[in-house]
Amino acid sequence: MSGTEDAAGTLRLSSARGRGVLVCVVLASGMAMLDGTVVNVALPRIGRDLDASLSTLQWVVNAYMLTLSALLLWGGAIGDRIGRRRALLLGAGWFALASALCGLAPDEGILIGARALQGIGGALLTPGSLALVRASFHPDDQARAVGAWSGLTGVAGALGPFLGGWLIDGPGWRWIFLINLPLAAVVLALAVKFVPESRDEGARQRPFDVRGAVLAALFLGGVSYALIGASAHDSALQVGLSALLALAAGLAFLTVERRRADPMLPLSLFRSRLFSATNGMTLCLYAAIGGMLFLLPVQLQTTLGYDALQAGIATLPITALMLLLSSRTGALAKRIGPAPPLIAGPLVGAAGALLMLRVGPGASYPTEVLPAVVVLGLGMSLFVAPLTATVLASVDSARAGLASGVNNTAARVAQLLIVAALPLVVGLSGDAYTSASAVDASFRRAALLTAGLFLAASAAAALFVRPKSMRPRLRRAPRPMCRSYLAVNCPPLEPGSAPERREGV
């Protein structure tokens, strides 16, 4: 049975068609999420096989994050306009073709270009998956469907390091991309058979913010190129021109968004001091997480001699703790207020980062690596769900979905920028990632830096977050929100967050 427009909003989770929709969107969002993280485990192997420098490996990660971050909100708007199922089909097909190009890439240039194309597909898949859940299921089943989507996507994330490590050590790193082809084929088949179409009928009257998306991409690309180029000791002229391009694009983006009647990023959101503070915290926290998860697999493989599978398994406790504890800490924050977990969580994360200083040559997994990973995961479990809920409650209820989309983008941008900046800051460049002593010294500096980012977020929470911060601000007559990107705030490290926080704000 193919999807039809009139079926939207009527599906029950217990029905065969409802289960088909859920499996489809979980696989779709899982593909996009895995390709943002699993590559980290493969970096040493990709570098050896392609004889690539560290700056090249940074672009292998950041090319994906760049297009994904710049186009995430725009991708949701496309789904609203052309139909969310149609956008899912387009995104899955696009993602599959780009993944095939990644897996077959003969050199680093084509691999980086293909990763950028993957990010475009991910920008269609990521907001569209949750939007389809909300649009397809009966209101009585929406909360359970969103919870199932969140939990199952988290399980996909938990399997990522294990699956990636197994593929890298087995058939090779190219298969972390080629595995997306059969997954995308399943997504396409399920979407055609089960997923009903839905769209925002008013979207056609709202023009795309093309200039905003282009300027955002130029800003993020210019910053990334300047930081990576400085780390790789490119010419001062190249680095300077990139920085100037980023500055000009950033200023132009702010001007365009301020003047547009329907901007991609409404700057009026930042009039809320709490919204601004929590998004600043998001930048610090996800930069800390992204930086640690970027260099930890390199440290484990280059300095401690782990293979790719062992390095992937070593970080599984983080995801397991997130799955087990995120919803519980969200409920706790509702009872006692968000301030305690938002202050304590980053402090625990900082302790985990400092414990990483013990992860060096000859370190034992049970006594050095595991305690650091567990403490880091506990800290993240404490702050991720309350942070999301506080962001949503920092604006009036009619704009909560838009606030969540902006916050999700902030998390992606933080991970993009830290991968570009971290090697420069910690003094790792060229082929130094192949040297155990160089990697170990840089990893220790990175651990101190990430601990500082966690502490900065904790201080911001102490200053700006109050006990009543999770109470929603209501308008007298809130308008219905139907843009697909308005419901999305699901960073890779937010499995298991309670769906009622998104539905009830």
Side-chain angles (χ1 to χ4, degrees), residues 202-226:
R204 295 181 184 275
Q205 283 71 51
R206 294 192 296 268
F208 283 129
D209 188 2
V210 177
R211 285 188 296 173
V214 171
L215 289 170
L218 288 174
F219 168 72
L220 294 173
V223 171
S224 297
Y225 192 91

Side-chain angles (χ1 to χ4, degrees), residues 225-257:
Y225 192 91
L227 292 171
I228 294 174
S231 176
H233 307 295
D234 288 349
S235 72
L237 179 61
Q238 286 179 303
V239 173
L241 288 176
S242 300
L244 286 174
L245 171 64
L247 178 62
L251 292 174
F253 175 78
L254 294 176
T255 301
V256 168
E257 298 305 283

Side-chain angles (χ1 to χ4, degrees), residues 76-77 79-81 84 131 134-135 198-203 206 398 401 479-487:
D80 291 337
R81 179 179 289 257
R84 296 176 184 118
R134 295 170 65 94
S198 64
R199 61 174 56 85
D200 176 4
E201 296 300 336
R206 294 192 296 268
R479 294 171 295 169
M481 307 306 291
C482 47
R483 297 186 194 179
S484 56
Y485 64 84
L486 298 185

